[in-house]
């Protein structure tokens, strides 16, 4: 197991970063490392979803089923994420926001938008110790994509606006962190010729 050098891995950059990807993509591991290295807050859409489930005394599967039946859950989650993105997009301090829609919701407020992915079998193996089964994960992915398209006209397969896309099956967790760390540290706003524009997401009911 590789041991990282905390001093060498410190990242002194003032960037608002979003991390997105399907379940099992490695987003949590990356965000935890980035948050540690940058010394900044990290908010996860998955944690907010779990909080919503706990508040309602429901399992994740039960809440997912409720979200599929009504737009109330999705919109409550996305309003919270959008509010967070709007706040941190103006404070000029480092911050990390992670969710499937983080890049869309943060839009042009974000300095760097990252998409992580891995082959489906790899991702299923990674979630084997979670409450959600691999089959439930696959169903949730399809259902969520359909709901986002229906509610907000968002096509999750459109990844053209992401600044960095990484197949996390090709590197270790530390290797993925090093790739992203390099992208962050070598970013120069004066040499930035422009990010892909994204339209504002209307999450009103």
């Amino acid at each position: 197991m590789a041991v990282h050098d905390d001093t060498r891995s410190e990242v002194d950059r003032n960037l608002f970063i979003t991390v997105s990807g399907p379940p099992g993509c490695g987003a949590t591991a990356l965000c935890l490392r980035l948050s540690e290295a940058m010394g900044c807050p990290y908010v996860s859409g998955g944690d907010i979803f779990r909080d919503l489930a706990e508040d309602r005394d429901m399992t994740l599967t039960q809440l997912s089923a409720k979200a599929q039946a009504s737009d109330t859950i999705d919109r409550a989650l996305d309003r919270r994420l959008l509010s967070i993105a709007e706040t941190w997009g103006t404070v000029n301090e480092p911050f990390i926001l992670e969710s499937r829609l983080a890049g869309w919701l943060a839009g042009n407020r974000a300095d760097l938008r990252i998409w992580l992915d891995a082959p489906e079998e790899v991702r299923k193996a990674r979630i084997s110790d979670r409450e959600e089964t691999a089959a439930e994960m696959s169903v949730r992915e399809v259902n969520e994509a359909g709901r986002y398209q229906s509610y907000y006209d968002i096509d999750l397969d459109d990844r053209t606006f992401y600044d960095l896309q990484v197949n996390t099956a090709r590197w270790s967790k530390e290797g993925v962190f090093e790739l992203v760390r390099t992208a962050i540290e070598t970013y120069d706003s004066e040499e930035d010729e422009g990010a892909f524009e994204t339209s504002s997401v209307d999450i009103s009911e």
Side-chain angles (χ1 to χ4, degrees), residues 49-63 66 131:
F49 193 79
R50 279 184 280 275
D51 288 343
L52 291 173
E54 185 175 336
D55 290 343
R56 291 162 172 77
D57 195 26
M58 302 172 72
T59 66
L60 293 179
T61 300
Q62 290 171 330
L63 189 62
K66 185 176 179 62
E131 176 184 342

Side-chain angles (χ1 to χ4, degrees), residues 5-184:
D5 181 334
D6 288 337
T7 301
R8 181 182 63 82
S9 295
E10 288 181 356
V11 180
D12 185 19
R13 295 305 306 271
N14 210 29
L15 301 179
F16 174 15
I17 298 169
T18 69
V19 179
S20 303
C25 70
T28 298
L30 174 62
C31 289
L32 288 172
R33 277 295 276 120
L34 282 178
S35 177
E36 174 191 21
M38 298 175 70
C40 72
Y42 148 51
V43 170
S44 163
D47 287 343
I48 295 176
F49 193 79
R50 279 184 280 275
D51 288 343
L52 291 173
E54 185 175 336
D55 290 343
R56 291 162 172 77
D57 195 26
M58 302 172 72
T59 66
L60 293 179
T61 300
Q62 290 171 330
L63 189 62
S64 293
K66 185 176 179 62
Q68 185 178 355
S70 168
D71 66 356
T72 304
I73 301 299
D74 282 328
R75 292 185 187 277
L77 170 63
D78 296 335
R79 275 194 295 270
R80 290 179 65 175
L81 291 171
L82 180 59
S83 176
I84 291 168
E86 289 174 340
T87 298
W88 284 94
T90 61
V91 297
N92 194 33
E93 293 181 9
F95 180 69
I96 301 164
L97 181 64
E98 181 269 315
S99 84
R100 293 284 293 282
L101 292 188
W104 290 95
L105 294 174
N108 301 315
R109 304 177 188 88
D111 297 298
L112 180 65
R113 291 175 287 187
I114 301 169
W115 177 268
L116 303 181
D117 208 343
E120 185 175 10
E121 291 308 310
V122 173
R123 295 190 292 104
K124 286 181 178 179
R126 288 175 176 174
I127 70 161
S128 60
D129 61 345
R130 300 183 188 178
E131 176 184 342
E132 182 179 49
T133 67
E136 289 170 340
M137 178 196 81
S138 298
V139 171
R140 177 161 66 90
E141 282 187 71
V142 173
N143 288 340
E144 286 180 347
R147 297 201 305 270
Y148 297 146
Q149 182 81 55
S150 174
Y151 298 162
Y152 314 134
D153 196 26
I154 286 177
D155 179 4
L156 285 182
D157 288 332
D158 178 9
R159 299 166 193 163
T160 56
F161 67 88
Y162 288 102
D163 303 297
L164 185 65
Q165 298 186 49
V166 181
N167 175 1
T168 62
R170 306 298 301 277
W171 290 271
S172 65
K173 293 178 182 179
E174 190 65 16
V176 172
F177 166 73
E178 290 296 332
L179 286 171
V180 175
R181 180 179 68 85
T182 298
I184 293 170

